[in-house]
Amino acid sequence: MEYKINLPEYVSIFDTTLRDGEQTPGISFSDKTKINIARQLDKLGVDVIEAGFPSSTEGERSTVKKISSLNLDSDICGLARVVREDMDACIASNVDMVHVFVSTSDVQINSTIKKGKEEILDLSYDSVKYVKDHGIKCLFSAMDATRTDEGYLFDIYKAVGEAGVDIINVPDTVGVSSPFKMHELISKISKHVDVPIDVHCHNDFGLAVANTLAAVESGAREVQVTMNGIGERSGNASLSEVVMALHSIYGVKTNIKTEYLFETSRLVESYSGFKLPPNFPIVGENAFSHESGIHAYGIIQDSRSFEPGIMTPEMVGHRRRLVLGKHTGRHTIKNMLAEYGISVREEDLREITERVKKLGDKGKKITDTEFYAMAEAVIGDIPKREQYITLNELSVMAGNKITPTAVLKAIVDGEEKIGADVGVGPVDAALKTIQDILGSNIRLKDFGINAISGGSDALAEVTINVEDEMGNTVSARSAREDIIMASVEAYISAVNNLMIKKRRGDGKGLKKGEN
Ligand code: MN
């Protein structure tokens, strides 16, 4: 078959973070979490939110119902087998759309539903008819479509088309398709059935995004994706990648407000506990980070030199960052100091660069607070660090049959504040209390602990990374025999540095939108 591109103008985004995403091994969202994610997905502009599988549990049904009652702009969809009870559970949850699915491949039929192919076809027709008779939108999935006998697949799609289905989904349930196979299949299906086509691709061979885009090239008008690519096994096609490729590479429109991609990704990351690797495209920590001197110099001159250009950090709500290490050059150091509102003499710049490279060469990761202290030591006369938060008193209770509790007194921005909170352990309680009295959008991004030397009196080295709502990050380290104090000091030091950056560095350094 010739590869003929048949791009639609607009692609509808069907998000299944709350359904397939929740089926990720190890992920379970609470009711409240699902509602918060649904609100965020609506803000992001997804066309459809698959909120769950209402017949699976009582709790799931009540959550889907609550999400339906939020009156979001996104359509709310519930999943159902070709079983009356499942469809009724969706209908009772007041969803806008029912996603009916059934296995159609021999391997799945033989190992799970064990019904004849005629019966499956009839059940599919009847189920779609049942949903449509209730005046609700219906999406139909032939599960494992990419391993289903083609003739049978066309028959079943034709049957549900006759039953009045609104859209048919072609799932690559176990991720075995290739872009070319997907192109052939979608092109053939669209010749047999006159119903809009949707795709659902899994990432078993790392091809989920490529296969999804191949389906769009072949005329598919809707794509099923998840935030951060979560989902069964190796996950689903990642929403951010598919959407940004559609916008920036293909010039195809979606309803996604891409500037919310980063914050949505972070929200799902923190609720799922499923940490993104730094090299994750679009929203990963390194997506717009540069360490090498040559790259950083190029980036400072013109960001298109070592970035795609057709996609900028601003477009996705992320932030460009220069990173310190053995490859760092003077331009990076100069720029990082400018972020703190510090200008530097040439000889000092050389000296700071030398020190940074030396530490980087030893494989040491330099935190922002260490960098700042190093600059202070070399330059000598930079403005004194204003302490946004100073700790006055801290007491922490922990032990057997007691909820770990922290009580804390601190000066925050010139005002004395007192806070108390509980946590899963004493460190968590202490850090949560600081977070409470800060009351800002600063969040703890990373927490690492290292025991230096043996024994119970070992020095605990805590490294902390905090991030604000703009994606500014600052790292800090502290070492103490007292693990709680080491954590609290590192946290406070990171927050103080972040505030210097926010207040003094505003408009300096590597700005937003800078070429
Ligand atoms: Mn799936």
Side-chain angles (χ1 to χ4, degrees):
M1 184 185 263
E2 196 194 337
Y3 203 113
K4 251 176 93 184
I5 291 191
N6 174 25
L7 271 186
E9 255 177 54
Y10 177 89
V11 168
S12 160
I13 304 298
F14 181 107
D15 182 279
T16 182
T17 304
L18 296 179
R19 202 277 299 165
D20 208 319
E22 205 199 12
Q23 285 168 228
T24 305
I27 292 184
S28 168
F29 296 125
S30 71
D31 176 76
K32 215 176 120 201
T33 300
K34 276 194 151 191
I35 289 168
N36 287 342
I37 294 175
R39 284 189 196 280
Q40 179 69 28
L41 291 171
D42 182 61
K43 178 180 171 191
L44 181 66
V46 307
D47 298 83
V48 186
I49 295 171
E50 187 164 44
F53 193 177
S55 75
S56 62
T57 64
E58 197 53 55
E60 180 91 346
R61 189 173 324 187
S62 127
T63 305
V64 175
K65 197 167 183 179
K66 280 185 204 158
I67 293 174
S68 298
S69 70
L70 297 173
N71 282 321
L72 302 176
D73 287 333
S74 312
D75 272 348
I76 306 304
C77 177
L79 185 70
R81 290 168 299 178
V82 287
V83 174
R84 193 59 70 89
E85 182 199 335
D86 282 19
M87 293 183 281
D88 286 339
C90 285
I91 294 163
S93 313
N94 301 324
V95 295
D96 302 295
M97 178 189 286
V98 178
H99 176 187
V100 173
F101 77 99
V102 68
S103 290
T104 51
S105 68
D106 291 339
V107 59
Q108 288 200 354
I109 292 173
N110 296 335
S111 59
T112 60
I113 51 174
K114 300 186 169 90
K115 285 186 192 333
K117 284 188 167 177
E118 267 313 305
E119 192 186 351
I120 289 172
L121 195 139
D122 291 342
L123 277 172
S124 303
Y125 177 90
D126 292 344
S127 301
V128 169
K129 192 107 193 12
Y130 184 75
V131 172
K132 290 312 295 175
D133 285 347
H134 283 80
I136 298 172
K137 286 184 206 165
C138 187
L139 162 78
F140 173 83
S141 279
M143 184 149 79
D144 208 11
T146 52
R147 290 193 301 179
T148 299
D149 169 71
E150 275 191 3
Y152 181 60
L153 190 65
F154 302 151
D155 287 346
I156 206 159
Y157 283 139
K158 247 187 254 173
V160 294
E162 279 157 23
V165 80
D166 295 279
I167 182 161
I168 50 171
N169 177 38
V170 182
D172 187 23
T173 306
V174 291
V176 291
S177 195
S178 71
F180 188 71
K181 276 193 202 159
M182 189 53 95
H183 172 73
E184 279 192 319
L185 185 62
I186 300 293
S187 307
K188 281 188 200 163
I189 294 171
S190 56
K191 274 191 195 113
H192 281 84
V193 197
D194 191 24
V195 176
I197 297 174
D198 166 272
V199 283
H200 175 107
C201 298
H202 274 275
N203 208 28
D204 298 72
F205 285 90
L207 289 172
V209 170
N211 290 337
T212 302
L213 293 171
V216 172
E217 287 179 344
S218 322
R221 289 202 250 148
E222 182 168 272
V223 293
Q224 299 201 355
V225 288
T226 62
M227 220 44 229
N228 300 344
I230 61 174
E232 303 218 53
R233 305 182 311 283
S234 304
N236 291 70
S238 144
L239 183 149
S240 309
E241 289 164 55
V242 170
V243 166
M244 288 316 293
L246 287 176
H247 287 205
S248 295
I249 299 176
Y250 289 83
V252 169
K253 290 191 185 74
T254 74
N255 191 46
I256 299 298
K257 297 174 190 78
T258 60
E259 64 274 23
Y260 297 131
L261 284 172
F262 181 80
E263 66 172 49
T264 308
S265 163
R266 288 303 181 269
L267 184 88
V268 171
E269 184 183 33
S270 77
Y271 280 150
S272 64
F274 210 71
K275 259 187 91 51
L276 283 189
N279 63 343
F280 200 86
I282 323 278
V283 288
E285 191 177 329
N286 288 353
F288 301 96
S289 293
H290 309 273
E291 182 184 309
S292 123
I294 297 166
H295 282 223
Y297 181 62
I299 284 289
I300 294 165
Q301 305 299 316
D302 183 340
S303 65
R304 290 170 302 180
S305 57
F306 291 100
E307 278 177 16
I310 52 174
M311 176 173 71
T312 63
E314 295 75 37
M315 283 166 78
V316 301
H318 205 335
R319 186 142 178 125
R320 181 171 297 124
R321 275 189 311 126
L322 302 177
V323 178
L324 296 175
K326 65 188 265 194
H327 308 105
T328 298
R330 277 179 301 143
H331 297 284
T332 300
I333 304 284
K334 198 171 170 184
N335 222 280
M336 289 186 88
L337 290 170
E339 283 186 8
Y340 290 108
I342 300 167
S343 55
V344 62
R345 284 187 304 262
E346 196 55 35
E347 69 252 43
D348 289 344
L349 182 60
R350 253 176 239 285
E351 174 63 25
I352 299 167
T353 310
E354 265 326 293
R355 291 190 187 195
V356 166
K357 285 172 90 84
K358 227 177 247 170
L359 282 173
D361 213 21
K362 285 181 193 153
K364 191 159 161 70
K365 201 164 183 279
I366 305 145
T367 66
D368 296 278
T369 49
E370 284 158 354
F371 172 68
Y372 194 90
M374 202 189 292
E376 264 184 331
V378 173
I379 302 171
D381 57 352
I382 60 178
K384 188 121 187 63
R385 237 186 276 205
E386 59 257 41
Q387 301 296 328
Y388 180 72
I389 170 168
T390 326
L391 179 68
N392 279 353
E393 288 171 23
L394 170 71
S395 67
V396 180
M397 283 171 290
N400 189 25
K401 291 188 179 165
I402 177 174
T403 308
T405 309
V407 182
L408 184 143
K409 217 186 243 183
I411 308 288
V412 179
D413 209 11
E415 222 181 284
E416 190 180 63
K417 296 219 171 164
I418 299 172
D421 207 339
V422 296
V424 295
V427 171
D428 185 43
L431 296 188
K432 271 194 184 144
T433 310
I434 302 174
Q435 185 79 60
D436 292 347
I437 61 168
L438 284 172
S440 61
N441 290 323
I442 297 172
R443 81 178 183 108
L444 180 65
K445 203 175 152 226
D446 265 319
F447 178 93
I449 184 157
N450 220 340
I452 305 170
S453 75
S456 62
D457 61 347
L459 209 54
E461 186 190 68
V462 174
T463 309
I464 269 177
N465 220 312
V466 295
E467 182 175 55
D468 70 8
E469 73 284 2
M470 304 291 295
N472 287 305
T473 63
V474 162
S475 54
R477 198 169 4 226
S478 176
R480 283 256 212 161
E481 276 112 0
D482 178 339
I483 182 174
I484 298 166
M485 280 314 296
S487 310
V488 167
E489 275 178 3
Y491 192 49
I492 285 179
S493 151
V495 169
N496 281 331
N497 252 58
L498 188 60
M499 292 313 291
I500 296 175
K501 232 184 200 180
K502 275 172 98 95
R503 291 181 166 179
R504 289 221 298 259
D506 224 20
K508 293 173 183 133
L510 209 56
K511 305 192 282 264
K512 282 193 145 196
E514 194 174 60
N515 46 44

